[in-house]
PDB file of all heavy atoms in Angstrom:
ATOM      1  N   CYS A 120       2.287  34.928   4.420  1.00  0.00           N
ATOM      2  CA  CYS A 120       3.357  35.409   5.312  1.00  0.00           C
ATOM      3  C   CYS A 120       3.369  34.512   6.559  1.00  0.00           C
ATOM      4  O   CYS A 120       4.427  34.019   7.054  1.00  0.00           O
ATOM      5  CB  CYS A 120       3.115  36.864   5.686  1.00  0.00           C
ATOM      6  SG  CYS A 120       3.314  38.055   4.433  1.00  0.00           S
ATOM      7  N   ASN A 121       2.127  34.243   7.043  1.00  0.00           N
ATOM      8  CA  ASN A 121       2.140  33.338   8.338  1.00  0.00           C
ATOM      9  C   ASN A 121       2.713  32.002   7.993  1.00  0.00           C
ATOM     10  O   ASN A 121       3.377  31.467   8.868  1.00  0.00           O
ATOM     11  CB  ASN A 121       0.641  33.239   8.707  1.00  0.00           C
ATOM     12  CG  ASN A 121       0.079  34.543   9.261  1.00  0.00           C
ATOM     13  OD1 ASN A 121       0.833  35.334   9.751  1.00  0.00           O
ATOM     14  ND2 ASN A 121      -1.205  34.642   9.190  1.00  0.00           N
ATOM     15  N   ASN A 122       2.523  31.542   6.782  1.00  0.00           N
ATOM     16  CA  ASN A 122       3.032  30.211   6.451  1.00  0.00           C
ATOM     17  C   ASN A 122       4.635  30.281   6.506  1.00  0.00           C
ATOM     18  O   ASN A 122       5.168  29.396   7.052  1.00  0.00           O
ATOM     19  CB  ASN A 122       2.550  29.858   5.076  1.00  0.00           C
ATOM     20  CG  ASN A 122       2.975  28.418   4.667  1.00  0.00           C
ATOM     21  OD1 ASN A 122       2.821  27.499   5.450  1.00  0.00           O
ATOM     22  ND2 ASN A 122       3.481  28.358   3.493  1.00  0.00           N
ATOM     23  N   LEU A 123       5.125  31.306   5.922  1.00  0.00           N
ATOM     24  CA  LEU A 123       6.595  31.326   5.912  1.00  0.00           C
ATOM     25  C   LEU A 123       7.190  31.630   7.282  1.00  0.00           C
ATOM     26  O   LEU A 123       8.112  30.981   7.689  1.00  0.00           O
ATOM     27  CB  LEU A 123       7.116  32.441   4.857  1.00  0.00           C
ATOM     28  CG  LEU A 123       8.606  32.596   4.835  1.00  0.00           C
ATOM     29  CD1 LEU A 123       9.241  31.259   4.505  1.00  0.00           C
ATOM     30  CD2 LEU A 123       8.972  33.734   3.900  1.00  0.00           C
ATOM     31  N   LEU A 124       6.478  32.366   7.993  1.00  0.00           N
ATOM     32  CA  LEU A 124       6.976  32.566   9.537  1.00  0.00           C
ATOM     33  C   LEU A 124       6.919  31.247  10.233  1.00  0.00           C
ATOM     34  O   LEU A 124       7.876  30.876  10.995  1.00  0.00           O
ATOM     35  CB  LEU A 124       6.055  33.585  10.196  1.00  0.00           C
ATOM     36  CG  LEU A 124       6.227  34.998   9.654  1.00  0.00           C
ATOM     37  CD1 LEU A 124       5.122  35.901  10.315  1.00  0.00           C
ATOM     38  CD2 LEU A 124       7.566  35.597   9.857  1.00  0.00           C
ATOM     39  N   SER A 125       5.900  30.367  10.016  1.00  0.00           N
ATOM     40  CA  SER A 125       5.859  29.077  10.676  1.00  0.00           C
ATOM     41  C   SER A 125       7.042  28.175  10.123  1.00  0.00           C
ATOM     42  O   SER A 125       7.662  27.503  10.916  1.00  0.00           O
ATOM     43  CB  SER A 125       4.475  28.320  10.328  1.00  0.00           C
ATOM     44  OG  SER A 125       3.423  29.131  10.573  1.00  0.00           O
ATOM     45  N   VAL A 126       7.240  28.253   8.841  1.00  0.00           N
ATOM     46  CA  VAL A 126       8.265  27.515   8.212  1.00  0.00           C
ATOM     47  C   VAL A 126       9.723  28.021   8.806  1.00  0.00           C
ATOM     48  O   VAL A 126      10.510  27.150   9.220  1.00  0.00           O
ATOM     49  CB  VAL A 126       8.357  27.594   6.641  1.00  0.00           C
ATOM     50  CG1 VAL A 126       9.611  27.190   6.122  1.00  0.00           C
ATOM     51  CG2 VAL A 126       7.119  26.981   6.091  1.00  0.00           C
ATOM     52  N   LEU A 127       9.843  29.269   8.898  1.00  0.00           N
ATOM     53  CA  LEU A 127      11.216  29.779   9.355  1.00  0.00           C
ATOM     54  C   LEU A 127      11.529  29.381  10.758  1.00  0.00           C
ATOM     55  O   LEU A 127      12.715  29.235  11.078  1.00  0.00           O
ATOM     56  CB  LEU A 127      11.124  31.287   9.277  1.00  0.00           C
ATOM     57  CG  LEU A 127      11.341  31.980   7.930  1.00  0.00           C
ATOM     58  CD1 LEU A 127      11.039  33.389   7.901  1.00  0.00           C
ATOM     59  CD2 LEU A 127      12.754  31.602   7.372  1.00  0.00           C
ATOM     60  N   GLU A 128      10.562  28.991  11.581  1.00  0.00           N
ATOM     61  CA  GLU A 128      10.807  28.556  12.846  1.00  0.00           C
ATOM     62  C   GLU A 128      11.604  27.284  12.907  1.00  0.00           C
ATOM     63  O   GLU A 128      12.322  27.021  13.779  1.00  0.00           O
ATOM     64  CB  GLU A 128       9.520  28.348  13.638  1.00  0.00           C
ATOM     65  CG  GLU A 128       8.891  29.656  14.112  1.00  0.00           C
ATOM     66  CD  GLU A 128       7.523  29.541  14.733  1.00  0.00           C
ATOM     67  OE1 GLU A 128       7.104  28.412  15.050  1.00  0.00           O
ATOM     68  OE2 GLU A 128       6.793  30.545  14.824  1.00  0.00           O
ATOM     69  N   ASN A 129      11.400  26.531  11.777  1.00  0.00           N
ATOM     70  CA  ASN A 129      11.996  25.235  11.711  1.00  0.00           C
ATOM     71  C   ASN A 129      13.175  25.052  10.651  1.00  0.00           C
ATOM     72  O   ASN A 129      13.639  24.006  10.382  1.00  0.00           O
ATOM     73  CB  ASN A 129      11.097  24.120  11.431  1.00  0.00           C
ATOM     74  CG  ASN A 129       9.817  24.164  12.372  1.00  0.00           C
ATOM     75  OD1 ASN A 129      10.039  24.214  13.568  1.00  0.00           O
ATOM     76  ND2 ASN A 129       8.648  24.277  11.888  1.00  0.00           N
ATOM     77  N   VAL A 130      13.567  26.195  10.126  1.00  0.00           N
ATOM     78  CA  VAL A 130      14.561  26.111   9.128  1.00  0.00           C
ATOM     79  C   VAL A 130      15.697  27.033   9.473  1.00  0.00           C
ATOM     80  O   VAL A 130      15.550  28.124   9.996  1.00  0.00           O
ATOM     81  CB  VAL A 130      13.879  26.641   7.742  1.00  0.00           C
ATOM     82  CG1 VAL A 130      14.944  26.777   6.667  1.00  0.00           C
ATOM     83  CG2 VAL A 130      12.901  25.726   7.268  1.00  0.00           C
ATOM     84  N   ASP A 131      16.932  26.557   9.130  1.00  0.00           N
ATOM     85  CA  ASP A 131      18.099  27.407   9.359  1.00  0.00           C
ATOM     86  C   ASP A 131      18.424  28.092   8.106  1.00  0.00           C
ATOM     87  O   ASP A 131      18.624  27.425   7.057  1.00  0.00           O
ATOM     88  CB  ASP A 131      19.263  26.538   9.868  1.00  0.00           C
ATOM     89  CG  ASP A 131      19.426  26.556  11.318  1.00  0.00           C
ATOM     90  OD1 ASP A 131      18.976  27.634  11.911  1.00  0.00           O
ATOM     91  OD2 ASP A 131      19.854  25.566  11.862  1.00  0.00           O
ATOM     92  N   THR A 132      18.506  29.403   8.070  1.00  0.00           N
ATOM     93  CA  THR A 132      18.819  30.077   6.780  1.00  0.00           C
ATOM     94  C   THR A 132      19.546  31.335   7.212  1.00  0.00           C
ATOM     95  O   THR A 132      19.437  31.877   8.319  1.00  0.00           O
ATOM     96  CB  THR A 132      17.514  30.407   6.034  1.00  0.00           C
ATOM     97  OG1 THR A 132      17.900  31.074   4.814  1.00  0.00           O
ATOM     98  CG2 THR A 132      16.597  31.337   6.787  1.00  0.00           C
ATOM     99  N   GLU A 133      20.321  31.740   6.269  1.00  0.00           N
ATOM    100  CA  GLU A 133      21.245  32.927   6.462  1.00  0.00           C
ATOM    101  C   GLU A 133      20.276  34.128   6.673  1.00  0.00           C
ATOM    102  O   GLU A 133      19.247  34.290   5.979  1.00  0.00           O
ATOM    103  CB  GLU A 133      22.048  33.174   5.210  1.00  0.00           C
ATOM    104  CG  GLU A 133      23.528  33.317   5.506  1.00  0.00           C
ATOM    105  CD  GLU A 133      24.310  33.414   4.156  1.00  0.00           C
ATOM    106  OE1 GLU A 133      24.409  32.385   3.548  1.00  0.00           O
ATOM    107  OE2 GLU A 133      24.739  34.511   3.865  1.00  0.00           O
ATOM    108  N   GLY A 134      20.647  34.980   7.564  1.00  0.00           N
ATOM    109  CA  GLY A 134      19.974  36.337   7.735  1.00  0.00           C
ATOM    110  C   GLY A 134      18.528  36.010   8.165  1.00  0.00           C
ATOM    111  O   GLY A 134      17.598  36.773   7.779  1.00  0.00           O
ATOM    112  N   LYS A 135      18.292  35.015   9.016  1.00  0.00           N
ATOM    113  CA  LYS A 135      16.908  34.660   9.388  1.00  0.00           C
ATOM    114  C   LYS A 135      16.280  35.788  10.077  1.00  0.00           C
ATOM    115  O   LYS A 135      15.013  36.016   9.830  1.00  0.00           O
ATOM    116  CB  LYS A 135      17.030  33.447  10.358  1.00  0.00           C
ATOM    117  CG  LYS A 135      15.620  32.770  10.661  1.00  0.00           C
ATOM    118  CD  LYS A 135      16.072  31.368  11.205  1.00  0.00           C
ATOM    119  CE  LYS A 135      14.873  30.905  12.038  1.00  0.00           C
ATOM    120  NZ  LYS A 135      15.131  29.503  12.487  1.00  0.00           N
ATOM    121  N   THR A 136      16.886  36.537  10.923  1.00  0.00           N
ATOM    122  CA  THR A 136      16.268  37.590  11.622  1.00  0.00           C
ATOM    123  C   THR A 136      15.714  38.691  10.667  1.00  0.00           C
ATOM    124  O   THR A 136      14.574  39.211  10.752  1.00  0.00           O
ATOM    125  CB  THR A 136      17.349  38.321  12.577  1.00  0.00           C
ATOM    126  OG1 THR A 136      18.004  37.293  13.206  1.00  0.00           O
ATOM    127  CG2 THR A 136      16.541  39.170  13.583  1.00  0.00           C
ATOM    128  N   GLU A 137      16.608  39.047   9.737  1.00  0.00           N
ATOM    129  CA  GLU A 137      16.202  40.058   8.723  1.00  0.00           C
ATOM    130  C   GLU A 137      15.034  39.565   7.966  1.00  0.00           C
ATOM    131  O   GLU A 137      14.107  40.322   7.682  1.00  0.00           O
ATOM    132  CB  GLU A 137      17.357  40.522   7.880  1.00  0.00           C
ATOM    133  CG  GLU A 137      18.329  41.307   8.615  1.00  0.00           C
ATOM    134  CD  GLU A 137      19.547  41.676   7.842  1.00  0.00           C
ATOM    135  OE1 GLU A 137      19.739  41.172   6.692  1.00  0.00           O
ATOM    136  OE2 GLU A 137      20.444  42.448   8.318  1.00  0.00           O
ATOM    137  N   VAL A 138      15.057  38.336   7.463  1.00  0.00           N
ATOM    138  CA  VAL A 138      14.047  37.766   6.660  1.00  0.00           C
ATOM    139  C   VAL A 138      12.728  37.786   7.419  1.00  0.00           C
ATOM    140  O   VAL A 138      11.694  38.086   6.893  1.00  0.00           O
ATOM    141  CB  VAL A 138      14.378  36.337   6.159  1.00  0.00           C
ATOM    142  CG1 VAL A 138      13.168  35.673   5.531  1.00  0.00           C
ATOM    143  CG2 VAL A 138      15.478  36.478   5.095  1.00  0.00           C
ATOM    144  N   THR A 139      12.821  37.342   8.692  1.00  0.00           N
ATOM    145  CA  THR A 139      11.548  37.311   9.501  1.00  0.00           C
ATOM    146  C   THR A 139      10.941  38.700   9.586  1.00  0.00           C
ATOM    147  O   THR A 139       9.723  38.966   9.449  1.00  0.00           O
ATOM    148  CB  THR A 139      11.986  36.767  10.922  1.00  0.00           C
ATOM    149  OG1 THR A 139      12.527  35.438  10.796  1.00  0.00           O
ATOM    150  CG2 THR A 139      10.680  36.631  11.842  1.00  0.00           C
ATOM    151  N   SER A 140      11.912  39.714   9.813  1.00  0.00           N
ATOM    152  CA  SER A 140      11.419  41.067   9.953  1.00  0.00           C
ATOM    153  C   SER A 140      10.722  41.574   8.638  1.00  0.00           C
ATOM    154  O   SER A 140       9.740  42.217   8.673  1.00  0.00           O
ATOM    155  CB  SER A 140      12.528  42.016  10.276  1.00  0.00           C
ATOM    156  OG  SER A 140      13.120  41.653  11.434  1.00  0.00           O
ATOM    157  N   GLU A 141      11.314  41.130   7.485  1.00  0.00           N
ATOM    158  CA  GLU A 141      10.770  41.500   6.244  1.00  0.00           C
ATOM    159  C   GLU A 141       9.383  40.965   6.033  1.00  0.00           C
ATOM    160  O   GLU A 141       8.471  41.606   5.537  1.00  0.00           O
ATOM    161  CB  GLU A 141      11.688  41.038   5.056  1.00  0.00           C
ATOM    162  CG  GLU A 141      12.925  41.873   4.747  1.00  0.00           C
ATOM    163  CD  GLU A 141      13.654  41.368   3.529  1.00  0.00           C
ATOM    164  OE1 GLU A 141      13.217  41.742   2.444  1.00  0.00           O
ATOM    165  OE2 GLU A 141      14.589  40.677   3.745  1.00  0.00           O
ATOM    166  N   VAL A 142       9.247  39.661   6.419  1.00  0.00           N
ATOM    167  CA  VAL A 142       7.991  38.965   6.201  1.00  0.00           C
ATOM    168  C   VAL A 142       6.916  39.684   7.054  1.00  0.00           C
ATOM    169  O   VAL A 142       5.768  39.885   6.771  1.00  0.00           O
ATOM    170  CB  VAL A 142       8.029  37.473   6.495  1.00  0.00           C
ATOM    171  CG1 VAL A 142       6.779  36.830   6.434  1.00  0.00           C
ATOM    172  CG2 VAL A 142       9.047  36.845   5.519  1.00  0.00           C
ATOM    173  N   ARG A 143       7.288  39.990   8.369  1.00  0.00           N
ATOM    174  CA  ARG A 143       6.364  40.695   9.263  1.00  0.00           C
ATOM    175  C   ARG A 143       5.993  42.059   8.618  1.00  0.00           C
ATOM    176  O   ARG A 143       4.886  42.455   8.811  1.00  0.00           O
ATOM    177  CB  ARG A 143       6.929  40.725  10.683  1.00  0.00           C
ATOM    178  CG  ARG A 143       6.999  39.396  11.325  1.00  0.00           C
ATOM    179  CD  ARG A 143       7.815  39.385  12.512  1.00  0.00           C
ATOM    180  NE  ARG A 143       7.026  40.051  13.688  1.00  0.00           N
ATOM    181  CZ  ARG A 143       7.631  40.227  14.966  1.00  0.00           C
ATOM    182  NH1 ARG A 143       8.844  39.724  15.161  1.00  0.00           N
ATOM    183  NH2 ARG A 143       6.950  40.829  15.932  1.00  0.00           N
ATOM    184  N   PHE A 144       6.977  42.731   7.978  1.00  0.00           N
ATOM    185  CA  PHE A 144       6.647  43.983   7.425  1.00  0.00           C
ATOM    186  C   PHE A 144       5.684  43.777   6.234  1.00  0.00           C
ATOM    187  O   PHE A 144       4.741  44.571   6.157  1.00  0.00           O
ATOM    188  CB  PHE A 144       7.941  44.592   6.802  1.00  0.00           C
ATOM    189  CG  PHE A 144       7.601  45.693   5.733  1.00  0.00           C
ATOM    190  CD1 PHE A 144       7.125  46.983   6.175  1.00  0.00           C
ATOM    191  CD2 PHE A 144       7.623  45.393   4.391  1.00  0.00           C
ATOM    192  CE1 PHE A 144       6.822  47.879   5.310  1.00  0.00           C
ATOM    193  CE2 PHE A 144       7.236  46.316   3.539  1.00  0.00           C
ATOM    194  CZ  PHE A 144       6.809  47.605   3.923  1.00  0.00           C
TER     195      PHE A 144
END
Side-chain angles (χ1 to χ4, degrees):
Chain A
C120 291
N121 291 335
N122 185 48
L123 180 55
L124 290 172
S125 313
V126 165
L127 280 172
E128 285 171 17
N129 306 310
V130 172
D131 264 332
T132 179
E133 233 176 286
K135 190 162 156 176
T136 317
E137 287 178 354
V138 167
T139 304
S140 300
E141 280 185 83
V142 175
R143 289 169 74 182
F144 162 78

